[in-house]
Amino acid sequence: MKEFSVYDATRACDGIYNGGEAVKGQMVKGVVIDNRKVEDGFLFVPIKGERFDGHDFIGAAYEAGAVCCLSEKKLETQKPYILVKDSLQAYQDIAEFYKGLFGVKMIGITGSVGKTTTKEMVASVLEQQFCVLKTEGNLNNQTGVPQNLLRLLPEHEVAVIEMGTNHFGEIRSLSKMARPDFCFLTNIGQAHIEHLGSREGILKAKSEMLEYMREDGRVFVNGDDEYLWTLKETRSDVTTFGIGTQNDIYTTDIREMGLEGSDFTAHFDGKEMAIHVPSPGRHMIYNALAAIAAGLALCMEPEKIARGIAGYTPISGRMCIEKANGLTVLNDVYNANPGSMKAAIDVLSYAKGRKVCVLGDMFELGDKAEEYHRQVGSYAAKKGIDEILCVGELAKGIYDGASERCGNASYFKTQNELLEKIEGHIHSGDTVLVKASRGMKLEKTVEYLLH
């Protein structure tokens, strides 16, 4: 981390410093919100969560070597601290200040589906030419984005920052910190519709990123998405990518090769290049197109862009293909919504031999949750999946939808019930998709199948 002073931190978060004057000039060597990660010279920021209050660990942070702590209340201590109105806001303000110390090109990525995969593929391309900082995992929320910005180092040339939301105003605060040069919007689906009301509301929330884009910045959107296409119609700084030839960057000659991925020809500015995507699914073509757009925006040679896409590797839980015990497991347990569920079922349908899916609850879908679950079950049956195993209270809708289309479906209220009987439904040689919202913790099922 590039060091800055306690005084700098105080000014950045508009706080009130309490303590000896000598400490104000001391350098901060790191900023953390987890007291267990405090080291000598670190600044500790106590965040109030649903199940804990970081203020309870301020004493432990000092014992671990914190040079200073933030606090929303006056402390009975001789140790130096910065009094602030809101610790979370102060954390974000410090991250915004810290980001301003660097001249790094900033790429922001948001959307309903595929943010993390798009982020990984964009980074895979840009790493062919630049020193890249990318969001760790999917730390894309109000604490995750500042955590990633505070990882910037002088050697970084580009940062790829994922931004997630389930309420209005959240993307706005994330964008204010990051100040993106390029804004990428992947799609507008039903994820978080419970809080955002409609797809129009989701578009409005995602578009908050554009409010803090740099004046000379540019917007890149999936032009095959009818909601995102409206940005093309209303703004002059939008570049579209997609399969349709109406886009600025588009594809021809798509050749899907099952679980081995796909090949296609990308067209842009009157030029073309051959692309191999090593991960299966038509949705991965859109991720590759976003990565092409990012590479072109940073003036990369087509050969480097193609090499970066071909070198992409999925992270665990994001359509990661794993093999053991005679099974091929499509590990896609990290998150789920109706769009990503159907895309994953499409991938499963490419497999040879017997196909089984384990589908669990999808959360934050609002009043239409039952209908969306039924649609997923019906879709799985329509795609000819041999066995559809449904787990979770909401997944009863998946079971009902599959059964209505004469699909071979079974229902289990809990994951434990599923695991007790799963061996009777899965056989050597099967390809098994496992997918649900993160809260279902179906990685336990993946582990059982593999180990």
Side-chain angles (χ1 to χ4, degrees):
M1 179 178 180
K2 186 174 183 178
E3 297 181 4
F4 55 90
S5 70
V6 171
Y7 177 65
D8 290 331
T10 304
R11 288 202 308 166
C13 66
D14 195 25
I16 300 174
Y17 176 74
N18 293 264
E21 286 297 309
V23 176
K24 289 174 70 174
Q26 290 191 24
M27 304 306 287
V28 173
K29 299 179 180 179
V31 182
V32 294
I33 59 174
D34 185 342
N35 69 289
R36 295 167 297 182
K37 296 181 179 179
V38 171
E39 299 177 16
D40 286 340
F42 275 34
L43 174 67
F44 174 62
V45 182
I47 303 294
K48 290 182 178 179
E50 293 181 1
R51 293 175 294 178
F52 64 88
D53 184 347
H55 289 78
D56 297 336
F57 305 99
I58 288 177
Y62 283 127
E63 290 179 6
V67 65
C68 190
C69 294
L70 269 59
S71 176
E72 294 180 3
K73 53 190 175 184
K74 293 184 178 181
L75 301 178
E76 297 296 327
T77 180
Q78 298 301 311
K79 298 286 188 179
Y81 71 95
I82 302 170
L83 184 65
V84 297
K85 293 180 180 179
D86 185 307
S87 292
L88 176 58
Q89 184 60 57
Y91 184 46
Q92 294 178 350
D93 289 341
I94 291 171
E96 181 181 347
F97 155 78
Y98 184 74
K99 185 267 175 185
L101 299 177
F102 302 88
V104 61
K105 283 288 185 182
M106 188 69 56
I107 295 176
I109 296 176
T110 193
S112 295
V113 183
K115 294 183 295 296
T116 300
T117 304
T118 302
K119 175 259 300 183
E120 291 291 326
M121 192 167 286
V122 167
S124 181
V125 166
L126 299 184
E127 285 167 351
Q128 303 301 310
Q129 183 166 323
F130 304 101
C131 180
V132 178
L133 172 79
K134 65 180 180 180
T135 294
E136 287 187 318
N138 79 325
L139 293 175
N140 62 15
N141 60 10
Q142 300 299 301
T143 57
V145 169
Q147 182 176 332
N148 281 293
L149 293 176
L150 288 162
R151 293 172 47 233
L152 279 168
L153 295 172
E155 56 264 33
H156 286 129
E157 299 169 280
V158 182
V160 184
I161 301 297
E162 179 183 337
M163 301 183 193
T165 182
N166 54 17
H167 289 88
F168 289 110
E170 292 180 339
I171 292 286
R172 181 178 295 112
S173 64
L174 302 180
S175 183
K176 182 176 181 294
M177 281 183 276
R179 309 277 175 161
D181 297 273
F182 305 123
C183 295
F184 281 76
L185 283 75
T186 62
N187 45 61
I188 302 298
Q190 294 94 3
H192 309 304
I193 202 168
E194 178 180 8
H195 303 298
L196 300 174
S198 64
R199 290 183 71 191
E200 289 84 357
I202 295 169
L203 173 63
K204 181 179 178 181
K206 302 298 185 183
S207 298
E208 290 174 0
M209 185 198 292
L210 313 186
E211 297 176 24
Y212 284 95
M213 184 176 71
R214 292 174 60 92
E215 289 186 7
D216 57 348
R218 192 150 190 88
V219 184
F220 298 86
V221 304
N222 173 356
D224 292 346
D225 185 296
E226 59 183 329
Y227 287 87
L228 291 177
W229 182 261
T230 62
L231 296 177
K232 178 74 167 181
E233 297 174 335
T234 57
R235 300 176 63 105
S236 61
D237 56 356
V238 174
T239 296
T240 62
F241 58 86
I243 292 174
T245 56
Q246 79 278 8
N247 292 289
D248 299 306
I249 303 170
Y250 65 94
T251 67
T252 59
D253 308 319
I254 295 175
R255 186 166 67 93
E256 299 190 49
M257 300 177 290
L259 298 184
E260 302 303 316
S262 60
D263 290 338
F264 65 88
T265 301
H267 299 262
F268 56 93
D269 298 330
K271 304 174 184 177
E272 62 181 49
M273 64 174 159
I275 297 292
H276 171 67
V277 184
S279 290
R282 180 154 289 221
H283 60 289
M284 292 299 300
I285 294 176
Y286 286 98
N287 299 330
L289 289 167
I292 291 170
L296 294 175
L298 291 173
C299 303
M300 290 181 63
E301 294 294 326
E303 293 77 11
K304 291 182 179 179
I305 294 173
R307 186 166 66 240
I309 293 172
Y312 162 81
T313 55
I315 59 177
S316 180
R318 305 280 184 172
M319 193 48 75
C320 186
I321 301 175
E322 304 178 66
K323 296 184 179 183
N325 300 323
L327 301 176
T328 299
V329 178
L330 309 184
N331 178 358
D332 201 18
V333 300
Y334 203 89
N335 218 334
N337 56 61
S340 66
M341 276 282 203
K342 292 176 183 178
I345 292 167
D346 285 342
V347 172
L348 175 61
S349 70
Y350 299 147
K352 298 178 181 179
R354 195 166 174 274
K355 307 167 187 62
V356 180
C357 59
V358 179
L359 306 179
D361 293 354
M362 301 177 287
F363 299 143
E364 297 186 22
L365 294 179
D367 295 338
K368 292 187 176 181
E370 182 178 355
E371 177 185 341
Y372 288 136
H373 282 81
R374 280 179 174 271
Q375 289 176 3
V376 167
S378 178
Y379 190 79
K382 177 183 176 182
K383 297 295 287 189
I385 305 306
D386 296 291
E387 284 225 38
I388 304 165
L389 308 182
C390 314
V391 56
E393 294 186 8
L394 294 173
K396 179 63 163 57
I398 300 176
Y399 170 78
D400 291 339
S403 298
E404 288 169 0
R405 291 192 65 102
C406 301
N408 186 9
S410 302
Y411 174 68
F412 308 90
K413 189 172 183 179
T414 68
Q415 184 170 205
N416 286 338
E417 291 179 14
L418 166 71
L419 295 181
E420 287 175 2
K421 300 178 180 180
I422 197 169
E423 290 186 22
H425 296 272
I426 293 177
H427 313 296
S428 180
D430 288 357
T431 299
V432 186
L433 165 68
V434 185
K435 188 169 181 63
S437 282
R438 183 72 185 88
M440 290 298 293
K441 300 181 179 180
L442 288 193
E443 61 270 21
K444 182 178 179 181
T445 295
V446 172
E447 293 171 3
Y448 183 86
L449 294 171
L450 294 175
H451 304 297

